[in-house]
Amino acid sequence: MSEELFKKVVSHAKEYGFVFPSSEIYDGLGAVYDYGQNGVELKNNLRQYWWKAMVQLHENIVGIDAAIFMHPKTWKASGHVDGFSDPMIDNKDSKKRYRADQLLEDKIARYEKDGKTQKAQELQLGLDQALLENNLGQLKSLIEQHEIVCPISGTRNWTDVRQFNLMFSTEMGAMAEDADKIYLRPETAQGIFVNFLNVQKTGRMKIPFGIAQTGKAFRNEIIARQFIMRMREFEQMEMQFFVRPGTQKQWYEYWKEARLKWHHKLGLGDSKYRYHDHVKLAHYADAAVDIEFEFPFGFKELEGIHSRTDFDLKNHQELSGKKLQYFDAELDENGKPYGNYIPYVVETSVGLDRLFLSVLCASYKEEEVGEEDKKDTRVVLTLPPVLAPYKVAIFPLTKKDGLPEVARKLMDELKLDYTCFYEEKDAIGKRYRRQDALGTPFCITVDHESLENQTVTIRYRDTMQQERIAMSKVKEILAQEISWGKLLV
């Protein structure tokens, strides 16, 4: 059922203008997608929800927009040049390439599905140990022991496991022979770290404080799958919170709890979220946890919270030769200033595309409606009203008798504050169904009675209830129902 649901969500996303395969007329480009006219509205609204929660509601967090291109030494200092890689394995018969850890994770999932719990647990322990020790030989051994076959060729004719760097490289310069090798950024965090002093000094920021940004990142994934879950071009929303050394665990726990509460406010179901503590820590971290979401294909990472220590700023200071320290004039327990130090960092990092997919999957509903003898199925996206691509749809009942003119006038009064959809075509029931499928929370119908007494019918998406209201009350009702405060407060 879950696989079938996911197929329906993917199909719905294309049919209703949320997500399209990129370059589809040329048969597409692997793991690259375009957001359609409704998808870009939902995506923008989700980005705004994050920005308001992280920046607008925090006096000590500010935002930046760093460039995608950065000096190549940036990625040397961050560890990406030497250590940003995945374990890769090829099947000699199909010539297909796979991530070794993903092959093993798929096998674990099959064991669990078949009720082979002990085998699944044993393989999970072996995988965790191999990843913890970065033991490529052990990964190959596990693949052989559990008789994992290539999905294409059906054979077990594997190469050795080797590391594959995920960064895209390109050249900057007018002449090929003079060009410098640079990289498309694999994360947005480093743009924050190299601007630490710029922001701290110009903003007169005091520890603790945060710097947030959203933007595109690029990773040459060995195998990308599950629609927009794992892509080669994606968008991150990250915040680096700079703290006094020794307080990082306290702030790590604070942001761990705060970020889960933020997700819960979306109303997708608290039981769909869980924490997953990292067994294998990244080279820069002393603590890390994922907030996972239950997608139709299982629990997967949605957001990461990491205690990054002083790794990034310290490495950038050493490689650049520029001091990246903070002077803390506050007094310690002995009455002395803390003085100069490199701050520690707690990071929150959420994938906007994955967040988009979680909202789409959880809000997609198929409901039986109508009388017993006339049952019908409606598809509806139960999006929070403030996130919906269109907030209100306006329908003249017919194309004549002055109804379109009244409907257009009402739309002109609303469109400055709300994204509005106008439609005259088809029976009113069909128009309602289309808006349900887009997640539009309110539909307003202008009919002949509207000409007589300046009233309209407002229809509520989730209950399908209809109410007759004065046209002058429309703005007031929408203002009450469509509010960022319902999510943020």
Side-chain angles (χ1 to χ4, degrees):
M1 182 57 191
S2 292
E3 291 179 6
E4 188 63 30
L5 170 62
F6 189 55
K7 288 178 182 177
K8 288 180 179 180
V9 169
V10 174
S11 176
H12 189 87
K14 182 181 179 184
E15 182 180 357
Y16 285 92
F18 285 90
V19 182
F20 305 130
S22 181
S23 316
E24 188 177 19
I25 62 171
Y26 296 105
D27 298 325
L29 186 64
V32 184
Y33 290 89
D34 300 331
Y35 284 83
Q37 69 275 18
N38 297 313
V40 74
E41 292 289 343
L42 175 56
K43 191 178 184 184
N44 285 343
N45 292 338
L46 286 168
R47 187 189 297 109
Q48 193 173 4
Y49 173 45
W50 183 87
W51 192 265
K52 284 179 178 292
M54 299 302 286
V55 178
Q56 188 170 330
L57 296 186
H58 287 92
E59 294 181 30
N60 61 340
I61 299 178
V62 295
I64 66 167
D65 182 10
I68 288 173
F69 293 139
M70 302 182 71
H71 194 286
K73 284 186 178 179
T74 302
W75 307 111
K76 183 69 175 177
S78 68
H80 284 83
V81 171
D82 299 320
F84 190 59
S85 56
D86 279 338
M88 175 183 69
I89 192 168
D90 293 277
N91 182 268
K92 296 177 183 177
D93 298 321
S94 68
K95 312 299 182 187
K96 292 293 183 180
R97 181 169 291 173
Y98 302 93
R99 270 181 57 176
D101 57 330
Q102 285 184 355
L103 287 175
L104 292 165
E105 286 172 0
D106 290 344
K107 188 68 173 182
I108 291 167
R110 284 196 293 274
Y111 279 151
E112 290 174 342
K113 187 177 180 180
D114 296 339
K116 300 177 180 178
T117 308
Q118 187 173 346
K119 278 198 168 186
Q121 291 174 346
E122 290 173 356
L123 180 51
Q124 185 68 65
L125 287 172
L127 174 59
D128 289 343
Q129 189 64 31
L131 292 175
L132 187 63
E133 297 174 354
N134 197 25
N135 191 329
L136 303 183
Q138 180 64 13
L139 290 175
K140 172 73 177 294
S141 178
L142 289 170
I143 288 171
E144 291 174 340
Q145 288 172 24
H146 292 269
E147 300 182 342
I148 295 175
V149 300
C150 170
I152 305 299
S153 68
T155 68
R156 302 200 300 269
N157 191 11
W158 298 107
T159 65
D160 289 335
V161 179
R162 57 202 184 281
Q163 293 290 5
F164 176 78
N165 195 288
L166 302 180
M167 284 198 296
F168 285 104
S169 63
T170 185
E171 294 176 341
M172 179 176 283
M175 303 292 290
E177 58 269 22
D178 298 324
D180 292 322
K181 184 177 182 180
I182 60 171
Y183 300 96
L184 295 180
R185 66 183 182 193
E187 65 176 27
T188 59
Q190 299 306 319
I192 293 176
F193 293 129
V194 299
N195 278 295
F196 164 71
L197 276 187
N198 287 334
V199 173
Q200 189 272 316
K201 288 181 177 178
T202 58
R204 303 177 70 184
M205 308 298 292
K206 293 183 178 180
I207 294 284
F209 73 91
I211 304 176
Q213 79 163 326
T214 71
K216 289 290 186 75
F218 308 84
R219 295 181 185 178
N220 192 13
E221 296 283 358
I222 297 169
I223 177 168
R225 55 184 179 174
Q226 293 166 332
F227 192 35
I228 59 173
M229 181 70 192
R230 186 180 293 277
M231 298 190 293
R232 294 186 170 95
E233 176 186 340
F234 56 96
E235 188 163 353
Q236 290 182 312
M237 302 188 296
E238 295 194 314
M239 191 275 297
Q240 309 300 325
F241 198 69
F242 300 92
V243 303
R244 188 177 293 146
T247 67
Q248 71 272 19
K249 290 295 176 67
Q250 163 197 336
W251 284 110
Y252 170 75
E253 292 298 331
Y254 170 84
W255 285 111
K256 178 180 172 181
E257 182 180 345
R259 294 306 301 149
L260 184 60
K261 284 183 179 177
W262 181 88
H263 287 284
H264 284 174
K265 286 180 180 178
L266 285 168
L268 307 183
D270 291 4
S271 63
K272 287 186 172 289
Y273 300 90
R274 70 182 186 188
Y275 289 125
H276 174 73
D277 291 302
H278 285 213
V279 176
K280 179 188 178 184
L281 293 175
H283 56 275
Y284 52 75
D286 64 5
V289 67
D290 291 336
I291 295 175
E292 295 186 332
F293 181 82
E294 188 178 19
F295 292 93
F297 42 82
F299 277 96
K300 298 291 180 182
E301 177 192 352
L302 189 59
E303 176 162 7
I305 297 95
H306 310 110
S307 176
R308 294 183 73 119
T309 68
D310 61 352
F311 173 87
D312 299 277
L313 290 179
K314 183 173 67 177
N315 277 18
H316 286 304
Q317 176 175 279
E318 289 176 2
L319 198 59
S320 68
K322 307 291 194 305
K323 270 195 173 184
L324 298 179
Q325 297 182 8
Y326 173 79
F327 178 74
D328 194 334
E330 290 191 13
L331 304 180
D332 62 19
E333 59 274 14
N334 298 314
K336 296 180 180 179
Y338 283 97
N340 285 306
Y341 57 78
I342 297 176
Y344 272 44
V345 175
V346 176
E347 170 188 71
T348 72
S349 176
V350 58
L352 178 53
D353 307 277
R354 292 187 178 191
L355 179 65
F356 181 103
L357 184 58
S358 71
V359 170
L360 206 60
C361 288
S363 64
Y364 179 91
K365 304 284 191 305
E366 293 181 0
E367 299 176 349
E368 276 197 354
V369 295
E371 302 298 329
E372 281 299 326
D373 57 337
K374 289 184 179 180
K375 285 288 185 184
D376 186 22
T377 300
R378 75 158 182 160
V379 173
V380 57
L381 295 182
T382 57
L383 300 167
V386 75
L387 297 181
Y390 290 102
K391 306 300 185 285
V392 58
I394 301 168
F395 305 144
L397 190 62
T398 67
K399 298 180 182 179
K400 56 185 181 180
D401 301 329
L403 299 185
E405 288 78 6
V406 175
R408 285 288 185 186
K409 183 181 177 183
L410 178 59
M411 181 167 170
D412 287 341
E413 292 174 1
L414 297 176
K415 66 184 181 183
L416 185 63
D417 298 309
Y418 307 103
T419 47
C420 301
F421 189 99
Y422 180 89
E423 189 171 32
E424 299 176 353
K425 186 181 176 183
D426 289 331
I428 199 71
K430 285 187 177 180
R431 285 185 261 177
Y432 284 155
R433 288 289 185 270
R434 277 197 288 271
Q435 294 307 310
D436 288 342
L438 293 177
T440 306
F442 306 102
C443 293
I444 295 174
T445 302
V446 176
D447 56 21
H448 292 90
E449 191 178 341
S450 303
L451 302 179
E452 298 172 7
N453 58 18
Q454 296 296 297
T455 63
V456 292
T457 298
I458 185 168
R459 184 220 189 225
Y460 297 86
R461 177 197 67 201
D462 295 339
T463 64
M464 295 189 293
Q465 295 298 309
Q466 298 184 30
E467 181 184 0
R468 198 80 192 177
I469 62 170
M471 208 177 300
S472 60
K473 291 285 186 180
V474 171
K475 266 194 171 184
E476 180 183 331
I477 291 173
L478 294 181
Q480 290 172 355
E481 298 292 335
I482 304 170
S483 165
W484 283 110
K486 287 180 177 291
L487 285 183
L488 293 167
V489 178

